[in-house]
């Protein structure tokens, strides 16, 4: 009953001093709101990346050259250790493999009439779209015969195509890559994503052409493998590693000059990045929540002074110190709670607006709302304690005759 | 004896000089008595009332309330005693704003942890003649009505002792008379009442007067 009366009186005085209460709560509102928005942006980014990665297919393995940790001083040449023969050996000797594509890539300047763009030119095999779940939107992918005959044909990523001003109508036209003329046979479907998760800003050519004509490489950038459906990925990984070790004459796995990446590795790297990012953003927002607590503490100190007489009256009719303490704690908790609720609404609305009007995607999780609310309640209790304890300690006589 | 004090002393420092607001006060008040405390301004009447009401502690001397020495009890025990055995009525009413008359009257019972506070509070307000004003907030009531609410609040925990410090000081004489009549009827029911007053008529209506001067009881 006492508890109910306290809540009722607290709400009444909140409403009676609307502007003041709102200003006091503003810090909490902004704090909770920004925690929710920041976490939702982080979660949205994470979801995006996961979607894109899983679009590539879960059976994907990628073998990349690594500098062996034992070698000490690193040299450029240590990255030139994956060969075409390695890729062929994997096809022939490892079980449960659906497709393999050697990849030889580099950045290069592309030119179409007066338009220029820099793109990552990926030399790959005809199996490449199948391995990475890519689709051709216009035209076709290059053929095995073109791969063998080293035909100068190129399939453009969607972004590269639009940079050069090439659409489905210009198929069959020729562009220049590093000054060599290539026929555009197809344009890939847009996949989305940014940075290394995007393939849209690339140009795909037969690996034979990339290695011998464009870049003069006798080694591979990486080997992409798609395991057969239902295959035991770990087993395939181990088989590949064992095979490459024997081909590279490596006895101790610590000296490996390559590494087999699976989707889990890629997902983990991506998650680590976004987790750090989310924690950083959330942390900054949490600081503003803390600052909001100072606003509450300030207004509670004012309230206690203003209501000194009330404290005296309550003590005269039998309130103990802890009754007074509880009363002011509850009041500050209500203030931070109401502020938190308003902030949560503002945060949810803001992240909705962000996802509709910008390229960021956001995802508000119930957990982040709960976290922000719990944190704001804790802030209310923490910053409300000092003013409440001060009120509780006041002497009843001093309060009763306070003017 | 409900109240017995022995040599109560209360000192205040005003800069260099020491003021003895109470300078050795020994009084006894029996149960059921209606006592007036009179004396010039600054003679220590309010200080004595606060002491009797367990709001203040003496610098020296003893105070026995219903036989128990309460002069050196811890704060929480004193709060409990005020809550259960003592009802206060002040000159300036001292009701809580933003709470209805009913809620004000319920408050002492809530601090006592009692149930059905609502019903008891309603009956107390009926007793003081405010049956129709229960939902009003003090800010919307006249002085006389406010003091009635204060009387009802002082009554609800059924205290043995009611202390009133100039209860009619802020009221006109007619309303003051009504409040006095209320206190007299409570006394007639056997409650011990102590009233501080400057009004000779009111003092005359009490069975007994304690006259104070410079912190001492002179008669
Ligand atoms: N908190 C205090 N600090 C300093 N001096 C005080 C304090 N309270 C009371 N006094 C002094 O103690 C003396 C007695 O005060 P008290 O309030 O008891 O007088 P009173 O008889 O009630 O006067 P009045 O009729 O004007 O209410 C006065 O001289 C007063 O100045
Ligand atoms: Mg006085």
């Amino acid at each position: 009953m006492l508890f109910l009366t306290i809540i009722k009186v607290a709400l009444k005085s909140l409403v009676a001093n609307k502007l003041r209460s709102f200003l006091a709560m503003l810090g909490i509102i902004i704090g909770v709101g920004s925690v929710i928005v920041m976490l939702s942006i982080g979660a949205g980014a994470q979801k995006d990346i996961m979607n894109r990665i899983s679009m590539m297919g879960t059976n994907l393995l990628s073998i990349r050259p690594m500098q062996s940790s034992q070698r000490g001083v690193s040299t450029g040449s240590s990255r030139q250790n994956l060969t075409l023969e390695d890729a062929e050996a994997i096809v022939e000797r490892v079980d449960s493999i659906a497709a393999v594509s050697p990849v030889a890539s580099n950045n290069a300047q592309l030119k179409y009439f007066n338009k220029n763009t820099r793109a990552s030119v990926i030399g790959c095999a005809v199996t490449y779209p199948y391995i990475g779940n890519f689709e051709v939107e216009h035209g076709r992918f290059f053929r095995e015969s073109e791969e063998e005959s080293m035909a100068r044909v190129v399939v453009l990523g969607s972004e590269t195509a639009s940079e050069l001003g090439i659409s489905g109508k210009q198929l069959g036209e020729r562009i220049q890559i590093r000054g060599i003329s290539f026929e555009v046979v197809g344009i890939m479907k847009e996949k989305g994503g940014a940075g290394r998760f995007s393939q849209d800003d690339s140009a795909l050519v037969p690996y034979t052409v990339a290695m011998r004509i464009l870049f003069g490489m006798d080694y591979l950038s990486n080997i992409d493998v798609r395991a057969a459906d239902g295959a035991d990925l770990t087993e395939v990984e181990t088989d590949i590693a064992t095979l490459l070790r024997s081909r590279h004459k490596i006895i101790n796995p610590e000296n490996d000059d390559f590494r087999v990446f699976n989707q889990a590795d890629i997902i983990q790297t991506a998650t680590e990045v976004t987790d750090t990012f989310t924690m950083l953003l959330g942390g900054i927002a949490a600081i503003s929540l803390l600052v909001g607590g100072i606003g509450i503490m300030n207004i509670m100190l004012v309230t206690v002074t203003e209501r000194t007489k009330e404290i005296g009256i309550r003590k005269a009719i039998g309130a103990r110190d802890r009754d007074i303490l509880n009363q002011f704690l509850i009041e500050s908790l209500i203030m931070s709670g109401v502020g938190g609720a308003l902030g949560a609404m503002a945060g949810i609305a803001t992240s909705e607006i962000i996802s509709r009007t910008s390229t960021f995607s956001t995802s508000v999780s119930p957990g982040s709302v709960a976290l922000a609310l719990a944190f704001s309640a804790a802030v209310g209790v923490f910053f409300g304690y000092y003013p409440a304890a001060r009120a509780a300690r006041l002497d009843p006589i001093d309060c009763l005759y306070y003017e | 004896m409900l109240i017995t004090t022995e040599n109560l002393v209360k000192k205040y420092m005003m800069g260099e000089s020491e003021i003895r607001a109470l300078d050795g006060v020994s009084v006894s008040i029996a149960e059921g008595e209606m006592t007036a405390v009179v004396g010039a301004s600054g003679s220590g009447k309010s200080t004595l009332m606060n002491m009797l009401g367990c709001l203040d502690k003496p610098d020296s001397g003893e105070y026995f309330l219903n036989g128990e020495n309460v002069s050196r009890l811890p704060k929480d025990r004193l709060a409990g005693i005020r809550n259960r055995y003592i009802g206060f009525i002040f000159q300036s009413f001292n009701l809580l704003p933003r709470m209805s008359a009913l809620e004000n009257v319920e408050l002492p019972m809530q601090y006592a942890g009692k149930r059905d506070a609502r019903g008891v509070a309603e009956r107390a307000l009926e007793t003081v003649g405010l049956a129709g004003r229960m939902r009003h907030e003090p800010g919307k009531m006249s002085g006389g009505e406010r003091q009635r609410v204060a009387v009802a609040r002082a009554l609800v925990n059924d205290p043995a002792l009611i202390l009133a410090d100039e209860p009619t000081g802020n009221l006109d004489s007619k309303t003051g008379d009504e409040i006095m009549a209320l206190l007299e009827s409570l006394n007639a029911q056997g409650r011990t009442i102590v009233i501080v007053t400057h009004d000779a008529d009111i003092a005359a209506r009490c069975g007994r007067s304690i006259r104070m001067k410079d912190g001492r009881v002179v008669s």
Side-chain angles (χ1 to χ4, degrees):
Chain A
M1 268 318 274
L2 182 57
F3 186 71
L4 281 180
T5 317
I6 289 175
I7 290 178
K8 203 167 140 189
V9 171
L11 286 175
K12 265 193 197 172
S13 61
L14 258 183
V15 174
N17 300 308
K18 277 189 208 70
L19 181 63
R20 188 171 99 175
S21 319
F22 176 73
L23 290 177
M25 291 185 301
L26 197 57
I28 293 279
I29 295 176
I30 293 174
V32 169
S34 51
V35 166
I36 289 176
V37 170
M38 292 305 161
L39 293 183
S40 82
I41 290 177
Q46 184 132 326
K47 244 187 189 166
D48 259 17
I49 291 170
M50 297 301 233
N51 279 344
R52 260 152 222 170
I53 292 172
S54 59
M55 269 192 318
M56 286 192 252
T58 46
N59 285 352
L60 183 68
L61 294 174
S62 184
I63 301 127
R64 298 187 190 153
M66 296 295 274
Q67 288 162 23
S68 91
S69 51
Q70 298 288 301
R71 207 170 288 176
V73 185
S74 62
T75 59
S77 62
S78 65
R79 290 191 156 273
Q80 308 184 353
N81 42 30
L82 282 181
T83 61
L84 216 46
E85 290 72 39
D86 287 335
E88 279 158 13
I90 291 171
V91 181
E92 280 161 24
R93 310 257 304 270
V94 180
D95 291 335
S96 307
I97 292 219
V100 172
S101 170
V103 176
S105 64
N106 208 336
N107 288 330
Q109 197 73 21
L110 273 57
K111 193 163 178 275
Y112 176 62
F113 290 110
N114 58 347
K115 293 227 172 87
N116 266 294
T117 186
R118 228 178 140 65
S120 134
V121 175
I122 300 173
C124 54
V126 289
T127 48
Y128 193 73
Y130 168 67
I131 293 171
N133 271 345
F134 300 115
E135 281 170 48
V136 176
E137 177 142 49
H138 302 288
R140 59 171 178 86
F141 205 72
F142 53 77
R143 302 194 174 104
E144 204 163 346
S145 56
E146 289 166 328
E147 191 181 292
E148 277 160 16
S149 65
M150 288 203 265
R152 274 79 156 160
V153 287
V154 63
V155 181
L156 298 175
S158 57
E159 203 180 311
T160 314
S162 70
E163 298 253 320
L164 290 175
I166 293 177
S167 67
K169 288 177 210 138
Q170 278 90 15
L171 292 179
E173 304 247 344
R174 304 195 79 84
I175 65 165
Q176 310 274 317
I177 304 178
R178 286 205 171 167
I180 300 168
S181 171
F182 279 75
E183 180 190 347
V184 179
V185 295
I187 298 173
M188 303 298 289
K189 197 167 178 174
E190 181 177 343
K191 260 212 132 167
R196 49 178 285 236
F197 297 106
S198 169
Q199 302 278 354
D200 296 340
D201 59 352
S202 61
L204 308 176
V205 300
Y207 69 93
T208 47
V209 179
M211 291 176 79
R212 284 185 223 151
I213 295 167
L214 273 178
F215 305 132
M217 305 160 74
D218 55 0
Y219 56 92
L220 297 176
S221 315
N222 51 287
I223 303 174
D224 284 358
V225 175
R226 178 164 171 166
D229 286 340
D232 181 345
L233 269 189
T234 353
E235 207 178 295
V236 175
E237 262 179 75
T238 325
D239 288 352
I240 292 175
T242 314
L243 173 69
L244 291 181
R245 246 170 244 141
S246 82
R247 291 182 52 80
H248 294 190
K249 303 192 172 52
I250 294 164
I251 297 157
N252 186 347
E254 281 181 15
N255 294 338
D256 276 356
D257 56 359
F258 62 90
R259 192 174 152 195
V260 184
F261 288 87
N262 59 27
Q263 286 302 89
D265 294 329
I266 298 171
I267 287 172
Q268 199 192 345
T269 324
T271 329
E272 272 165 18
V273 172
T274 53
D275 274 355
T276 321
F277 168 76
T278 307
M279 266 163 50
L280 195 76
L281 290 179
I284 292 170
I287 290 172
S288 74
L289 194 49
L290 220 59
V291 174
I294 296 171
I296 296 235
M297 175 147 145
N298 185 36
I299 214 69
M300 286 310 293
L301 283 171
V302 173
T303 302
V304 167
T305 311
E306 275 180 353
R307 286 160 61 187
T308 305
K309 182 119 190 178
E310 173 186 329
I311 295 166
I313 298 169
R314 285 179 182 272
K315 286 196 164 184
I317 62 175
R320 291 156 303 181
D321 287 7
R322 64 170 170 279
D323 293 320
I324 303 293
L325 180 85
N326 288 343
Q327 177 184 346
F328 284 98
L329 266 187
I330 290 172
E331 289 197 16
S332 103
L333 191 61
I334 285 178
M335 202 181 288
S336 66
V338 172
L342 292 176
M345 289 189 256
I348 292 168
T350 310
S351 50
E352 184 62 36
I353 292 170
I354 288 177
S355 81
R356 287 201 190 161
T357 58
S358 79
T359 53
F360 286 103
S361 50
T362 61
S363 159
V364 178
S365 71
S368 75
V369 176
L371 182 81
L373 286 179
F375 202 73
S376 75
V379 162
V381 172
F382 183 80
F383 286 95
Y385 190 84
Y386 173 70
R390 232 164 92 140
R393 272 199 310 271
L394 290 172
D395 181 66
I397 291 289
D398 292 345
C399 295
L400 269 176
Y401 296 99
Y402 177 88
E403 294 302 333
Chain B
M1 285 291 141
L2 181 64
I3 288 173
T4 308
T5 72
E6 291 170 2
N7 262 316
L8 288 183
V9 174
K10 184 74 187 179
K11 293 177 271 191
Y12 289 109
M13 290 306 292
M14 290 295 271
E16 293 291 280
S17 59
E18 183 189 271
I19 296 171
R20 290 186 165 239
L22 294 183
D23 191 9
V25 174
S26 302
V27 290
S28 293
I29 296 173
E31 207 165 336
E33 268 191 299
M34 180 142 167
T35 310
V37 178
V38 296
S41 191
S43 57
K45 305 182 295 294
S46 293
T47 310
L48 176 61
M49 287 295 260
N50 292 338
M51 214 66 83
L52 297 183
C54 296
L55 280 166
D56 210 352
K57 290 187 187 183
D59 292 322
S60 67
E62 312 295 333
Y63 172 23
F64 298 90
L65 178 61
N66 208 14
E68 186 186 7
N69 189 344
V70 296
S71 8
R72 272 170 283 278
L73 289 180
K75 287 191 328 177
D76 280 3
R77 280 289 310 281
L78 291 177
I81 289 172
R82 290 196 296 271
N83 185 234
R84 271 168 285 134
Y85 301 125
I86 301 169
F88 290 94
I89 299 166
F90 301 92
Q91 178 175 358
S92 53
F93 321 128
N94 282 350
L95 300 175
L96 295 186
R98 289 190 299 276
M99 286 169 73
S100 69
L102 200 56
E103 285 166 334
N104 264 285
V105 176
E106 279 173 357
L107 209 53
M109 291 183 279
Q110 289 173 342
Y111 284 128
K114 286 187 186 165
R115 276 170 223 187
D116 55 273
R118 176 64 32 118
V120 177
E122 282 170 354
R123 257 168 279 134
L125 281 166
E126 280 160 19
T127 312
V128 299
L130 286 177
R133 293 270 194 286
M134 294 191 189
R135 310 277 162 187
H136 286 53
E137 289 188 7
K140 295 179 181 113
M141 293 177 138
S142 73
E145 285 169 341
R146 287 188 216 184
Q147 199 60 301
R148 285 164 190 270
V149 176
V151 173
R153 183 179 66 185
L155 279 179
V156 282
N157 273 346
D158 197 20
L161 177 62
I162 288 182
L163 300 175
D165 194 344
E166 300 187 45
T168 61
N170 282 2
L171 305 174
D172 62 41
S173 58
K174 184 173 165 287
T175 336
D177 271 353
E178 286 167 16
I179 296 293
M180 271 311 288
L182 207 52
L183 291 176
E184 278 167 338
S185 73
L186 292 176
N187 179 243
Q189 291 161 18
R191 251 177 262 268
T192 312
I193 297 180
V194 182
I195 303 173
V196 170
T197 183
H198 286 286
D199 187 327
D201 290 345
I202 288 176
R205 285 163 80 165
C206 298
R208 172 188 169 195
S209 284
I210 295 173
R211 179 165 300 275
M212 294 193 69
K213 187 167 186 280
D214 298 335
R216 292 166 186 273
V217 176
V218 288
S219 70

